[in-house]
Amino acid sequence: MKKLMIAAVGGSLMGLIATTQIAGPLIAQEAEASASVYEQLDLFGDIFERIRAGYVEDVEEKDLIEAAINGMLTSLDPHSSYLSAEDAAAMRVQTRGEFGGLGIEVTQEEGFVKVVSPMDGTPADAAGVLAGDFITAVDGESVLGLTLDDAVELMRGPVGSEIIITLVREGEIEPFDVSIVRDTIKLTAVRHRTEGNAVVLRVTTFNDQTFPNLQEGLKEQVEEAGGIDNIDGFVLDLRNNPGGLLNQAIYVSDAFLEAGEIVSTRGRDPADGDRYNAQPGDLAEGKPIVVLINGGSASASEIVAGALQDHRRAIVVGTKSFGKGSVQTVVPLRGEGAMRLTTARYYTPSGRSIQALGISPDIIVEQPRPKPVDPDAEDESRPLRSEADLRGSLNNDSLTDDEIEQIEADRARAETAAQLREDDYQLAYAIDILKGLNALGPLAE
């Protein structure tokens, strides 16, 4: 018995020695890394003191520290940043759907400020700012080298004041200036209307009101049409939608899915990942759906488009989306400030990462750029004369008044569709798809 006990103890000792021999270098490496971190923090303290004591002008200690924190975060990726108390309050207001500004969502690319998308009905939209434009200067002051927050700060100002931004646009040889008057931005999360027999749900942002607005608008349009059977399908227009709240993207996706995964998030630690699944119930009752996207569709918009595309619940039409597939967590800090930190990536149900790649449409449809008006060009809009316009022409005696009225109504609808094709080619294309799918009937399901 004693021998057994000794052997057991000896085995334990040997195991302890072996473990010590293996763990020793690891402990030493961790200690060395910790020492290096403390040395770097000491270096930061030395630089801070030298700036405070020897810089040519007096500097606010608080500003120095905030700039250092923001520099640390912005060095990680374009979406991580420090939010001062004022910025954090402004962000909370924006998610509720009303704030002051120009009405553009921006990011930073290679030192320049890039427009993700102009928001519908805002001063920037009215001034002709387009997704993909680069802002190089604000009121003549270059933004090159500024942090994104500093560049945004330059664009802020009192409601009613004018700002001149300098834009660089693909296809334009020279930069050009655009004048914008700042205004209070009131975002209507979802606008709804019926075009022909298609219900168009224009989702401009994902804030607290998005899903309730969508649910209410869809119900209202179906009732006005006299029931779901009188509708060809739904167009979910996510163009120039810069995203917003994750939970709203999940609700909107779930509105049209009966089951299955909507989106998953994966962080550095696999245990931190989350999966979000759809619950039974389809607001569209199985009717065809076309999702419209473009280069201004980002983040939450891409989650919705990717989920409906992967489940083959919708046909995605337009151009490749922006490709913002990262999750930012807002962490409150002391002093009412906050830290926005990228903590995970989004993945569509099929496992595709949205980051940098975006969502590719099933059918690529470019939106034609507006053509400049040529004052010297002849007016081609003058309608051609027909037989019915000739004086003394014979009447058509083979049709009843009701039949003639029906023909005229059909012609009016066709003219409206033709005008829509001129005004918004991508939307007209989406509606044509719905007509075709509806005409196929059960084969489309």
Side-chain angles (χ1 to χ4, degrees):
M1 191 69 176
K2 279 187 179 179
K3 287 183 181 178
L4 183 60
M5 284 291 291
I6 291 169
V9 171
S12 297
L13 288 172
M14 287 173 64
L16 179 61
I17 293 168
T19 303
T20 304
Q21 288 173 340
I22 294 169
L26 295 177
I27 294 170
Q29 287 174 13
E30 289 177 3
E32 185 178 341
S34 296
S36 176
V37 169
Y38 286 121
E39 286 175 5
Q40 294 296 315
L41 289 174
D42 287 341
L43 175 62
F44 172 80
D46 290 343
I47 293 172
F48 176 79
E49 288 298 332
R50 286 182 180 274
I51 293 172
R52 189 170 63 166
Y55 186 64
V56 65
E57 296 177 354
D58 287 335
V59 289
E60 289 286 340
E61 297 173 357
K62 177 175 175 289
D63 292 343
L64 282 178
I65 293 171
E66 284 189 358
I69 294 170
N70 197 44
M72 179 167 54
L73 287 164
T74 56
S75 70
L76 301 173
D77 65 83
H79 307 294
S80 295
S81 63
Y82 171 73
L83 300 171
S84 64
E86 295 79 11
D87 291 339
M91 185 193 68
R92 287 191 289 270
V93 170
Q94 184 166 344
T95 59
R96 291 196 295 270
E98 183 174 330
F99 55 96
L102 305 180
I104 50 175
E105 180 82 8
V106 294
T107 188
Q108 199 158 38
E109 189 173 295
E110 298 179 358
F112 290 103
V113 177
K114 183 178 182 180
V115 177
V116 176
S117 67
M119 301 171 187
D120 284 3
T122 63
D125 183 35
V129 177
L130 300 179
D133 285 349
F134 285 91
I135 300 173
T136 59
V138 175
D139 287 332
E141 183 176 345
S142 173
V143 299
L144 184 62
L146 296 181
T147 66
L148 185 60
D149 286 342
D150 288 341
V152 169
E153 190 64 34
L154 278 180
M155 289 184 269
R156 288 182 177 145
V159 170
S161 60
E162 184 186 25
I163 180 175
I164 306 292
I165 60 173
T166 304
L167 299 177
V168 171
R169 178 176 296 168
E170 184 180 355
E172 298 286 343
I173 299 174
E174 297 289 339
F176 58 96
D177 292 339
V178 173
S179 171
I180 305 176
V181 177
R182 298 178 178 95
D183 199 359
T184 300
I185 310 302
K186 295 181 180 179
L187 292 181
T188 303
V190 181
R191 295 184 174 93
H192 50 85
R193 70 183 194 275
T194 299
E195 290 282 353
N197 294 327
V199 172
V200 180
L201 300 167
R202 168 73 180 126
V203 183
T204 60
T205 187
F206 286 87
N207 62 25
D208 290 336
Q209 300 304 311
T210 300
F211 178 67
N213 286 174
L214 179 129
Q215 192 174 28
E216 180 183 342
L218 187 151
K219 180 181 177 182
E220 181 181 316
Q221 293 300 311
V222 169
E223 288 177 353
E224 287 184 5
I228 195 77
D229 292 337
N230 296 324
I231 289 173
D232 289 342
F234 297 86
V235 176
L236 191 61
D237 187 354
L238 302 177
R239 291 173 298 175
N240 292 332
N241 182 324
L245 301 177
L246 171 62
N247 67 337
Q248 293 295 314
I250 292 168
Y251 296 154
V252 170
S253 302
D254 194 1
F256 304 108
L257 294 173
E258 290 283 1
E261 183 179 302
I262 294 171
V263 67
S264 63
T265 62
R266 304 177 204 170
R268 184 169 64 184
D269 185 347
D272 293 336
D274 285 307
R275 293 182 183 275
Y276 301 91
N277 297 310
Q279 302 300 315
D282 177 3
L283 292 183
E285 298 184 29
K287 284 286 185 176
I289 299 172
V290 173
V291 176
L292 280 176
I293 61 171
N294 65 4
S297 307
S299 191
S301 298
E302 295 172 291
I303 290 172
V304 175
L308 298 182
Q309 184 183 53
D310 280 2
H311 284 287
R312 299 184 182 277
R313 182 63 188 90
I315 296 174
V316 179
V317 172
T319 55
K320 185 173 76 69
S321 63
F322 185 76
K324 182 187 177 294
S326 57
V327 184
Q328 280 69 48
T329 301
V330 178
V331 182
L333 302 173
R334 65 184 69 179
E336 298 186 355
M339 173 177 64
R340 186 166 48 204
L341 184 66
T342 299
T343 53
R345 287 183 172 88
Y346 292 123
Y347 293 83
T348 70
S350 65
R352 294 181 293 162
S353 172
I354 296 169
Q355 180 60 28
L357 295 176
I359 299 296
S360 296
D362 299 308
I363 303 174
I364 296 175
V365 179
E366 297 279 352
Q367 183 81 338
R369 291 286 176 93
K371 295 179 180 178
V373 177
D374 184 359
D376 298 327
E378 294 185 10
D379 184 9
E380 298 177 356
S381 62
R382 185 172 57 191
L384 297 174
R385 290 170 63 83
S386 68
E387 171 72 17
D389 298 319
L390 298 179
R391 183 179 300 170
S393 62
L394 297 176
N395 293 327
N396 188 317
D397 61 357
S398 66
L399 300 174
T400 65
D401 290 343
D402 288 342
E403 288 172 330
I404 291 173
E405 187 177 333
Q406 181 61 48
I407 289 173
E408 289 175 346
D410 291 343
R411 182 178 297 142
R413 278 194 293 271
E415 288 172 354
T416 300
Q419 185 59 50
L420 179 62
R421 195 166 281 105
E422 287 290 326
D423 297 339
D424 191 339
Y425 181 74
Q426 289 175 322
L427 178 58
Y429 197 104
I431 291 171
D432 285 344
I433 290 174
L434 289 180
K435 287 180 184 175
L437 291 174
N438 192 67
L440 290 174
L443 296 175
E445 296 179 1

